[in-house]
Amino acid sequence: MIWENYVFRRGVEVEDLWDDMYSDRKANNRSMRLLYIAGRGFDLRANNVISTYVERLNASGCKVDQATLLLVGFGGYQLSTELEALTNENASILEGIFGTIGKVETYFIDETEEDEELNATIMLRLGASKILDYLEGVTDVVLDVSSLPRIAYLTILLSILARIIPATGDQDLLTHGGVTFQVLVGEDPELDSKIAAQDPSNDLVLIPGYSEVFQSETLRDMPMVWFPILGENRLAQVLKVESNIPDWAEICPILPHPSKDPRRGDKLLTEYDSTLFAKRQTPLSNIIYAHEGHPFEVYRQLLEAMLRFRKTLSVIGGSRLVVTPLASKLITVGSALACFEMKMRSVDSSSGVAIPYAEPKRYVADVAALRSSKPDLSVLVLTGDPYLI
């Protein structure tokens, strides 16, 4: 496994990790060129994350040659007046905090030139390509997923990994690119469950680079295994994806367990019973339990499940492995890492992985709940300095 050994911290341990990393930079007289990517969204968790990061970076005394905050915005969602105002407020706060160490740029990922109409998958591909241009010459990339829509941070995360991790058997996979890549998460599963995603698009969005085995007509008869990673208030999205899954496909729902709410898995089983169990006759033995608060455990469990299916189905010609992440942020990030490695392992085989998603057109959230959230800060260091021996 690529991340057999991993770096993951949460709570006060995050600040200790940053202190060690950046103090070491200072001691070795190594400066940094930083790209910090965050969402221009309504989720105020991003404020807590960036303020903590900037504070610890300043306290470390590490020399910063260049620092850019790239705020990724979206204009295609229907939001209430209150959420629109909160989005603008959030952006102003983020700009003010980061402005003390560097410049701020805003890029709307769904903007097109000359009013050209493009589907969401193509827009994501073009948007990811432009974001990757910002990686030129940087030593550190920080992706804060706290206020980014799921399709955005999945696309950005997987695109950056594909850029900096070589698609070879290089033993120095995690240090080869010379870039320290961190993913920051302001995690609050309870708040995630209260943000309703409504009116899913009729057309499925496929994460760029993870679409061929789902779309290809030549592969339509190849065995398929679908891994819906379940979260609250996502039934409409599950139904959209489920309508594109063949009746004969194997389904392995993924539920959060352990969880802060011991009954969370049971509640999700009830919510999705009619769609995945009563209608599809999915055996309960197919359920995979993933740790709500540990993305690398999710990565390990999902990757091992996909590898088992690939091995079993290889005797009848191959497999299509389909992952639909609808759970909280840490679980989603862990599933993305599993898909990334599975794609690398499937280059020379007759299997492949796809990530289809029914993107909502409208988000509904209670402003009071957003303001009162007290997220747990988590960091995953995916490449770079901590892996140097």
Side-chain angles (χ1 to χ4, degrees), residues 1 79 107 118 123 172 190 199 218 233-234 289 350 374:
M1 289 184 174
L79 301 177
Y107 170 59
L118 301 174
M123 282 195 296
D172 301 319
E190 184 178 353
D199 301 333
T218 60
N233 301 315
R234 298 293 187 268
Y289 294 98
S350 56
K374 296 180 180 179

Side-chain angles (χ1 to χ4, degrees), residues 180-196:
T180 298
F181 179 29
Q182 303 180 60
V183 177
L184 311 187
V185 185
E187 181 76 345
D188 184 349
E190 184 178 353
L191 177 60
D192 287 335
S193 69
K194 294 178 180 177
I195 299 176

Side-chain angles (χ1 to χ4, degrees), residues 77-305:
Y77 295 112
Q78 299 171 20
L79 301 177
S80 66
T81 303
E82 291 83 0
L83 289 182
E84 286 281 7
L86 198 59
T87 298
N88 294 327
E89 175 190 331
N90 199 20
S92 296
I93 295 172
L94 292 170
E95 291 172 9
I97 294 170
F98 197 87
T100 61
I101 63 170
K103 64 180 181 178
V104 180
E105 297 189 26
T106 300
Y107 170 59
F108 282 85
I109 202 169
D110 52 358
E111 282 186 344
T112 57
E113 298 180 0
E114 300 178 355
D115 297 325
E116 184 181 6
E117 291 188 7
L118 301 174
N119 67 39
T121 301
I122 295 176
M123 282 195 296
L124 284 172
R125 183 178 293 113
L126 294 174
S129 177
K130 291 184 179 180
I131 290 171
L132 289 177
D133 290 340
Y134 284 85
L135 266 63
E136 188 65 33
V138 304
T139 60
D140 291 78
V141 179
V142 176
L143 173 61
D144 177 6
V145 307
S146 305
S147 193
L148 280 167
R150 186 175 277 103
I151 60 166
Y153 68 75
L154 283 171
T155 299
I156 297 169
L157 168 61
L158 291 167
S159 298
I160 292 174
L161 286 175
R163 168 66 66 89
I164 62 180
I165 294 182
T168 65
D170 193 327
Q171 292 185 350
D172 301 319
L173 285 176
L174 302 183
T175 58
H176 176 91
V179 175
T180 298
F181 179 29
Q182 303 180 60
V183 177
L184 311 187
V185 185
E187 181 76 345
D188 184 349
E190 184 178 353
L191 177 60
D192 287 335
S193 69
K194 294 178 180 177
I195 299 176
Q198 300 179 349
D199 301 333
S201 171
N202 289 326
D203 297 324
L204 291 183
V205 179
L206 289 131
I207 301 302
Y210 296 80
S211 61
E212 183 181 359
V213 298
F214 195 78
Q215 291 181 316
S216 175
E217 285 294 322
T218 60
L219 302 176
R220 61 180 302 179
D221 295 326
M222 185 181 289
M224 176 183 288
V225 185
W226 180 35
F227 300 91
I229 306 175
L230 302 179
E232 292 83 357
N233 301 315
R234 298 293 187 268
L235 180 58
Q237 292 165 275
V238 168
L239 287 169
K240 288 287 185 182
V241 179
E242 185 267 340
S243 66
N244 289 272
I245 301 295
D247 293 339
W248 40 262
E250 190 78 11
I251 301 177
C252 296
I254 299 179
L255 294 175
H257 182 78
S259 169
K260 284 186 177 180
D261 178 1
R263 299 296 305 278
R264 188 181 180 200
D266 294 336
K267 294 173 184 176
L268 288 170
L269 279 176
T270 301
E271 183 175 352
Y272 295 98
D273 177 65
S274 61
T275 303
L276 297 181
F277 299 97
K279 177 183 176 181
R280 287 284 191 154
Q281 297 296 304
T282 302
L284 292 178
S285 58
N286 278 20
I287 294 174
I288 298 172
Y289 294 98
H291 196 302
E292 179 185 86
H294 203 309
F296 285 103
E297 284 302 312
V298 178
Y299 150 76
R300 187 188 307 273
Q301 289 167 292
L302 178 56
L303 179 61
E304 289 177 348

